[in-house]
Amino acid sequence: MDLCARGGIARYLDRIGLDEADLPNGLEALVSAVATAQHARVPFENLGIHAGRVVGVEPARIAQRLVDDRRGGICYELNGLLLYALRALGVPAVLHGARVDSGAGFGPADGHVAVVVPGDPAMLVDVGFGGDMILRPIDLADPAGRDVSAGAARYRIDPAVRELDEFAGMARWHSTSGQSRFTGSVICTLPVDAGRRTMTGRIDPESGRIDYRMIEVDGDSRREYAVAAADVPGRLSDVFGIDDPRPPMRSAVGRHR
């Protein structure tokens, strides 16, 4: 699907619950409205990786999965989709790679990708970091200003402008490497009005057994409980809008490595 075509952007807006006629005027307001709507409707999830799927960065493939198939994705897919949607709406958005620091030091180059809207100041917009959306000014000329914090994690942006196809190698690495955080656990997460819903699945590296848990955050309250594997498809459908999922099972984990 070509998001730049009229029908393509209409289907994208329908996916995120917006009507083109109601889009706000002004660059910052438009970017904020579109990013907020996508972040609220398209989950951050890596279920496909554990079913043997290698994440792709081709625009048509991303649009097929996230828009037409109504699935979610990781940063390359979520921010890649946002990039092309903003461009289709006339916003001159670009991509920047980043190194992620989750507490053990910075990881590999291009381990993350984020969208930047050039301007004075430039605007960082990130719907693919797995937590709250990031939307703030950024000065890419200032080395200190390129460190972005998000909860307990942070990343450091590379100042060079990139194209999405340059991230194909890292998308494959995240899909297949035992060193990737995405191959060692399952996640599907989506914000709700007062908090967030997250399904996780920690994989035992020896047995391959997956222990699924649901985390429900509402304001200051947090509830966590186990979910039986048989109940995972229904929970993904009811909570995250992912229908007919094939959640990872022991025999599927890592079969593509």
Side-chain angles (χ1 to χ4, degrees), residues 13 19 34 45 47 80 104 108 115 131 136 141 179 204 214 221:
L13 292 173
D19 190 302
V34 172
E45 56 104 339
L47 299 173
V115 177
R136 68 169 182 80
Q179 297 179 343
D204 186 309
M214 178 67 75
S221 73

mmCIF file of all heavy atoms in Angstrom, residues 13 19 34 45 47 80 104 108 115 131 136 141 179 204 214 221:
data_model
loop_
_atom_site.group_PDB
_atom_site.id
_atom_site.type_symbol
_atom_site.label_atom_id
_atom_site.label_comp_id
_atom_site.label_asym_id
_atom_site.label_seq_id
_atom_site.Cartn_x
_atom_site.Cartn_y
_atom_site.Cartn_z
ATOM 1 N N LEU A 13 -5.412 6.693 8.216
ATOM 2 C CA LEU A 13 -6.150 7.520 9.171
ATOM 3 C C LEU A 13 -7.305 6.742 9.794
ATOM 4 O O LEU A 13 -7.595 6.887 10.984
ATOM 5 C CB LEU A 13 -6.657 8.791 8.485
ATOM 6 C CG LEU A 13 -5.563 9.780 8.064
ATOM 7 C CD1 LEU A 13 -6.159 10.919 7.247
ATOM 8 C CD2 LEU A 13 -4.826 10.337 9.279
ATOM 9 N N ASP A 19 -10.078 11.352 11.023
ATOM 10 C CA ASP A 19 -10.680 11.720 9.744
ATOM 11 C C ASP A 19 -9.860 12.864 9.160
ATOM 12 O O ASP A 19 -9.539 13.833 9.866
ATOM 13 C CB ASP A 19 -12.131 12.153 9.946
ATOM 14 C CG ASP A 19 -12.873 12.322 8.632
ATOM 15 O OD1 ASP A 19 -12.409 13.136 7.797
ATOM 16 O OD2 ASP A 19 -13.891 11.646 8.424
ATOM 17 N N VAL A 34 -1.462 13.265 14.835
ATOM 18 C CA VAL A 34 -1.265 12.003 14.122
ATOM 19 C C VAL A 34 -0.450 11.025 14.967
ATOM 20 O O VAL A 34 -0.797 9.852 15.097
ATOM 21 C CB VAL A 34 -0.588 12.257 12.758
ATOM 22 C CG1 VAL A 34 -0.206 10.941 12.090
ATOM 23 C CG2 VAL A 34 -1.517 13.055 11.850
ATOM 24 N N GLU A 45 4.730 -4.292 19.657
ATOM 25 C CA GLU A 45 4.713 -5.741 19.898
ATOM 26 C C GLU A 45 5.743 -6.456 19.039
ATOM 27 O O GLU A 45 6.092 -6.002 17.951
ATOM 28 C CB GLU A 45 3.309 -6.313 19.665
ATOM 29 C CG GLU A 45 2.720 -6.041 18.291
ATOM 30 C CD GLU A 45 2.741 -7.234 17.359
ATOM 31 O OE1 GLU A 45 3.547 -8.164 17.591
ATOM 32 O OE2 GLU A 45 1.977 -7.224 16.378
ATOM 33 N N LEU A 47 5.443 -10.052 18.659
ATOM 34 C CA LEU A 47 4.908 -11.407 18.568
ATOM 35 C C LEU A 47 5.368 -12.113 17.303
ATOM 36 O O LEU A 47 5.662 -13.312 17.315
ATOM 37 C CB LEU A 47 3.379 -11.361 18.608
ATOM 38 C CG LEU A 47 2.757 -10.766 19.877
ATOM 39 C CD1 LEU A 47 1.256 -10.625 19.708
ATOM 40 C CD2 LEU A 47 3.096 -11.616 21.083
ATOM 41 N N GLY A 80 8.629 3.946 11.196
ATOM 42 C CA GLY A 80 8.637 3.957 9.734
ATOM 43 C C GLY A 80 7.261 4.284 9.181
ATOM 44 O O GLY A 80 7.123 5.074 8.234
ATOM 45 N N ALA A 104 22.839 -1.071 30.821
ATOM 46 C CA ALA A 104 24.124 -1.769 30.735
ATOM 47 C C ALA A 104 25.058 -1.120 29.727
ATOM 48 O O ALA A 104 25.961 -1.754 29.199
ATOM 49 C CB ALA A 104 23.895 -3.230 30.350
ATOM 50 N N PRO A 108 24.210 -1.368 20.073
ATOM 51 C CA PRO A 108 24.755 -1.148 18.732
ATOM 52 C C PRO A 108 24.142 0.048 18.023
ATOM 53 O O PRO A 108 23.030 0.484 18.344
ATOM 54 C CB PRO A 108 24.412 -2.452 18.010
ATOM 55 C CG PRO A 108 23.237 -2.996 18.737
ATOM 56 C CD PRO A 108 23.442 -2.616 20.169
ATOM 57 N N VAL A 115 11.802 9.503 14.511
ATOM 58 C CA VAL A 115 11.406 10.489 13.514
ATOM 59 C C VAL A 115 11.752 11.884 14.026
ATOM 60 O O VAL A 115 11.544 12.192 15.203
ATOM 61 C CB VAL A 115 9.900 10.401 13.220
ATOM 62 C CG1 VAL A 115 9.467 11.485 12.233
ATOM 63 C CG2 VAL A 115 9.537 9.018 12.688
ATOM 64 N N GLY A 131 7.102 2.591 25.237
ATOM 65 C CA GLY A 131 6.489 3.199 26.414
ATOM 66 C C GLY A 131 5.726 4.433 26.005
ATOM 67 O O GLY A 131 5.028 4.435 24.990
ATOM 68 N N ARG A 136 9.083 16.202 21.560
ATOM 69 C CA ARG A 136 9.734 17.353 22.190
ATOM 70 C C ARG A 136 10.727 17.990 21.238
ATOM 71 O O ARG A 136 11.180 17.357 20.281
ATOM 72 C CB ARG A 136 10.439 16.928 23.474
ATOM 73 C CG ARG A 136 11.653 16.024 23.293
ATOM 74 C CD ARG A 136 12.391 15.916 24.616
ATOM 75 N NE ARG A 136 13.590 15.128 24.620
ATOM 76 C CZ ARG A 136 14.785 15.512 24.196
ATOM 77 N NH1 ARG A 136 14.942 16.702 23.634
ATOM 78 N NH2 ARG A 136 15.833 14.719 24.287
ATOM 79 N N ALA A 141 22.476 19.585 16.845
ATOM 80 C CA ALA A 141 23.827 20.128 16.780
ATOM 81 C C ALA A 141 24.516 20.116 18.133
ATOM 82 O O ALA A 141 25.735 20.294 18.216
ATOM 83 C CB ALA A 141 23.787 21.556 16.229
ATOM 84 N N GLN A 179 21.306 -11.890 21.225
ATOM 85 C CA GLN A 179 21.668 -10.721 22.023
ATOM 86 C C GLN A 179 20.597 -9.634 21.986
ATOM 87 O O GLN A 179 20.663 -8.670 22.749
ATOM 88 C CB GLN A 179 22.997 -10.148 21.529
ATOM 89 C CG GLN A 179 24.165 -11.108 21.690
ATOM 90 C CD GLN A 179 25.465 -10.520 21.169
ATOM 91 O OE1 GLN A 179 25.457 -9.547 20.421
ATOM 92 N NE2 GLN A 179 26.573 -11.098 21.572
ATOM 93 N N ASP A 204 12.084 -19.022 29.081
ATOM 94 C CA ASP A 204 13.136 -19.790 29.733
ATOM 95 C C ASP A 204 14.096 -20.282 28.655
ATOM 96 O O ASP A 204 13.688 -21.043 27.773
ATOM 97 C CB ASP A 204 12.541 -20.986 30.483
ATOM 98 C CG ASP A 204 13.584 -21.731 31.301
ATOM 99 O OD1 ASP A 204 14.638 -22.087 30.733
ATOM 100 O OD2 ASP A 204 13.340 -21.975 32.491
ATOM 101 N N MET A 214 0.091 -10.389 32.439
ATOM 102 C CA MET A 214 -0.564 -9.146 32.049
ATOM 103 C C MET A 214 -0.306 -8.104 33.126
ATOM 104 O O MET A 214 -0.421 -8.387 34.329
ATOM 105 C CB MET A 214 -2.069 -9.351 31.887
ATOM 106 C CG MET A 214 -2.838 -8.093 31.524
ATOM 107 S SD MET A 214 -2.451 -7.456 29.877
ATOM 108 C CE MET A 214 -3.345 -8.638 28.866
ATOM 109 N N SER A 221 -2.295 2.933 40.358
ATOM 110 C CA SER A 221 -2.480 1.513 40.676
ATOM 111 C C SER A 221 -1.842 0.630 39.612
ATOM 112 O O SER A 221 -1.837 0.966 38.422
ATOM 113 C CB SER A 221 -3.964 1.173 40.805
ATOM 114 O OG SER A 221 -4.595 1.157 39.548
#
